[in-house]
Amino acid sequence: MAKIKTSFFCQNCGAQSPKWLGKCPSCGQWNTYVEEIIQKEESGKGSWKPSGSGTKKTNTPKKIKEVNYEEQARWVTGDPELDRVLGGGIVPGSLVLIGGEPGIGKSTLMLQIALTLTGKTILYVSGEESEAQIKMRADRMAVSNPDCYVLSETNTQQIFQQVELLKPDFLVIDSIQTLNSQYVESAAGSVSQVRECTAELMKFAKETGTPVFLIGHVTKEGSIAGPKVLEHMVDTVLQFEGDRHLTYRILRTSKNRFGSTHELGIYEMRVDGLRSVANPSEILLTQREEVLNGVAIGAMLEGNRPLLIEIQSLVSPATYGTPQRTSTGHDAKRLNMLLAVLEKRGGMRLGNQDVFLNVAGGMRVDDPGLDLAVCASLISSYEDTPVSEQICFAGEVGLGGEVRAVSRIENRISEAEKLGFKKIMVSKYAVKGLDLSKFKIKVIQVSKLEEMYQLIF
């Protein structure tokens, strides 16, 4: 009987060591090494192999100048938000990983895409739900696809046998952490299993040209569970975000070999599935019956999409000693910097004030073009004076209190005009050489925070 071989793997980055280590030399994390059984199989075993039907592509070395490049025709899914985030649609042969918290709607999104891709043979493989459970969820949606097949299986060898018989055009795996390969002697979800199963699926996708979508779990820190090499192996990494207690979900991309990583998709969770939100600015702006202090509207960019978003602030005297600085949806360090600028350059005494900042709608933003809106919101709450509902802001604030120019100011102005705003405040350096007569909205130009304060308050 062959001796069982074991090795230690870092559960954070996937690094391997013949002995246990307290600190991983690769990623620097402590107490992440776990012993796993490894078993070396004969060459050719453990990975997907097509039948002798000519579907396998034979690769031979070529000179780079002799490579014939033709732009691959993307599949339009019918979901404008997903198509935008992917860069224009699904690329044949791509391996896409989508992660998110439990209950956020990952499986719903993938099942909805599988049901709307008509004219294609779809195989939806689930290791977490039975076929009856998948059917119950599909019945709640208002779409159907006669060519959508479901399979409840976790063993990759069994899955590939069904793939050989069905020959699907599109494959969904829910989820990668539940799969296991019989050629790796470790539990499902371990570093070895996740890496091996992903490698088999990647080989299948590249050799057959079949797009494969993998659903992945996340850790308590919000990152994709499993080794970091998982994100390196796939072509695209999508993050499905949002508060489970709110109706809106945000789809972002952190890696995309076939498009931009700055695009954003917004969905509304409904009883019958996810609905694409065509104009997210309208849902991100709160409908109020009265003007409130501490509220300002900022014009931001997410990829190529301009958005108007509501910034809410509350500044009140500190009661329990050290003042609190709490930020939801906005970078806390950026908030501290803006507070320091307001205190140093604007003369505001904020050292003994509690400051709470919230980005309405559950959004998480990092556009510096919102600095001016954040400052206006903070001043409004501190002075207890509301900002007019007819004005929005677009500008970056520097350490000297200057208002700096931001990118693509025309798009921001056009979005504000489209939503009915009468005025927009921008840096005077952002509109140099720009023909402002083509806009009906009034463009207010400032260069310092003092000018903004005098004009608004």
Side-chain angles (χ1 to χ4, degrees):
M1 182 177 178
K3 183 178 178 181
I4 297 178
K5 296 182 180 180
T6 63
S7 186
F8 292 85
F9 292 90
C10 174
Q11 299 299 298
N12 185 58
C13 67
Q16 183 178 359
S17 172
K19 64 178 182 178
W20 183 86
L21 298 174
K23 181 180 180 181
C24 176
S26 178
C27 64
Q29 296 295 315
W30 288 87
N31 299 323
T32 57
Y33 272 83
V34 175
E35 185 177 16
E36 296 180 7
I37 299 174
I38 58 174
Q39 183 174 342
K40 301 292 184 181
E41 291 293 326
E42 297 178 6
S43 176
K45 291 186 179 181
S47 59
W48 179 83
K49 295 190 296 183
S51 60
S53 57
T55 58
K56 182 177 180 179
K57 299 178 181 178
T58 302
N59 296 322
T60 56
K62 294 181 181 179
K63 293 181 179 179
I64 191 168
K65 64 180 180 180
E66 297 176 355
V67 176
N68 295 323
Y69 170 72
E70 295 181 1
E71 187 172 355
Q72 294 178 298
R74 296 174 182 258
W75 296 0
V76 178
T77 64
D79 185 338
E81 301 300 303
L82 180 63
D83 290 339
R84 180 189 298 106
V85 171
L86 290 176
I90 300 175
V91 176
S94 61
L95 186 62
V96 180
L97 174 66
I98 176 170
E101 295 183 357
I104 205 68
K106 305 182 298 297
S107 300
T108 300
L109 177 62
M110 286 295 98
L111 182 59
Q112 188 168 304
I113 296 302
L115 293 174
T116 54
L117 271 175
T118 56
K120 306 286 185 182
T121 303
I122 315 296
L123 179 58
Y124 187 99
V125 181
S126 177
E128 300 177 344
E129 296 177 291
S130 66
E131 296 169 359
Q133 290 174 316
I134 300 173
K135 179 63 167 59
M136 289 173 59
R137 184 147 41 88
D139 288 341
R140 296 199 304 267
M141 302 179 183
V143 291
S144 62
N145 186 356
D147 295 323
C148 180
Y149 296 82
V150 296
L151 173 65
S152 183
E153 182 59 66
T154 59
N155 185 272
T156 55
Q157 282 67 42
Q158 296 294 330
I159 292 172
F160 286 131
Q161 287 180 10
Q162 300 302 320
V163 166
E164 278 290 292
L165 296 174
L166 186 62
K167 299 190 183 304
D169 300 313
F170 182 64
L171 178 63
V172 179
I173 302 295
D174 183 11
S175 65
I176 186 61
Q177 279 83 9
T178 62
L179 297 190
N180 67 85
S181 174
Q182 66 187 27
Y183 301 108
V184 177
E185 297 294 332
S186 59
S190 63
V191 171
S192 302
Q193 285 285 6
V194 171
R195 183 168 49 200
E196 176 67 20
C197 295
T198 305
E200 294 181 16
L201 290 166
M202 180 179 66
K203 184 178 180 181
F204 162 74
K206 302 306 178 185
E207 291 183 355
T208 63
T210 304
V212 179
F213 273 67
L214 309 176
I215 296 178
H217 299 164
V218 296
T219 63
K220 60 183 179 181
E221 290 83 13
S223 58
I224 302 292
K228 200 67 177 177
V229 69
L230 173 63
E231 298 181 43
H232 291 292
M233 293 172 70
V234 300
D235 298 312
T236 305
V237 180
L238 305 178
Q239 287 280 359
F240 208 35
E241 305 171 351
D243 192 331
R244 288 181 296 171
H245 305 292
L246 300 177
T247 58
Y248 296 105
R249 305 286 188 266
I250 300 170
L251 184 65
R252 301 177 185 270
T253 173
S254 58
K255 172 188 176 182
N256 192 356
R257 290 175 178 161
F258 311 112
S260 172
T261 59
H262 301 293
E263 295 298 340
L264 178 84
I266 299 181
Y267 294 88
E268 180 186 5
M269 177 63 80
R270 305 170 64 175
V271 177
D272 57 349
L274 292 160
R275 182 185 68 88
S276 300
V277 177
N279 190 1
S281 295
E282 293 183 352
I283 67 169
L284 296 174
L285 299 179
T286 306
Q287 303 298 325
R288 301 184 302 273
E289 296 182 356
E290 58 180 345
V291 181
L292 303 175
N293 59 60
V295 176
I297 308 300
M300 61 172 287
L301 283 177
E302 276 288 351
N304 296 321
R305 168 184 280 187
L307 298 174
L308 292 188
I309 198 162
E310 182 176 300
I311 305 295
Q312 302 174 344
S313 297
L314 178 62
V315 181
S316 61
T319 308
Y320 303 103
T322 305
Q324 299 182 62
R325 299 287 187 266
T326 304
S327 176
T328 304
H330 189 271
D331 185 12
K333 293 182 179 179
R334 188 87 184 173
L335 172 61
N336 289 332
M337 184 202 77
L338 295 176
L339 290 173
V341 172
L342 289 174
E343 187 157 3
K344 179 72 173 180
R345 308 298 179 186
M348 299 173 59
R349 299 178 60 85
L350 298 171
N352 59 348
Q353 302 285 322
D354 287 334
V355 178
F356 303 92
L357 184 73
N358 177 53
V359 178
M363 288 279 290
R364 180 172 55 84
V365 299
D366 54 6
D367 186 0
L370 289 174
D371 287 354
L372 197 58
V374 171
C375 290
S377 175
L378 292 170
I379 296 173
S380 172
S381 180
Y382 180 78
E383 298 285 353
D384 204 14
T385 303
V387 178
S388 172
E389 291 182 321
Q390 301 300 320
I391 188 170
C392 62
F393 303 85
E396 179 183 356
V397 176
L399 293 178
E402 74 278 12
V403 180
R404 304 170 62 88
V406 292
S407 62
R408 300 181 59 189
I409 191 64
E410 284 188 81
N411 299 67
R412 301 174 195 250
I413 297 175
S414 299
E415 182 72 8
E417 183 178 0
K418 184 173 67 174
L419 291 178
F421 285 86
K422 303 300 182 184
K423 304 175 183 177
I424 182 171
M425 183 173 289
V426 302
S427 169
K428 70 176 184 180
Y429 307 108
V431 293
K432 282 186 176 180
L434 186 64
D435 182 15
L436 299 179
S437 61
K438 63 181 179 180
F439 300 110
K440 296 180 180 179
I441 187 174
K442 182 180 180 180
V443 180
I444 303 175
Q445 306 175 41
V446 296
S447 60
K448 295 182 179 181
L449 280 177
E450 289 86 346
E451 298 177 20
M452 184 268 286
Y453 182 86
Q454 293 171 2
L455 291 171
I456 302 299
F457 303 99

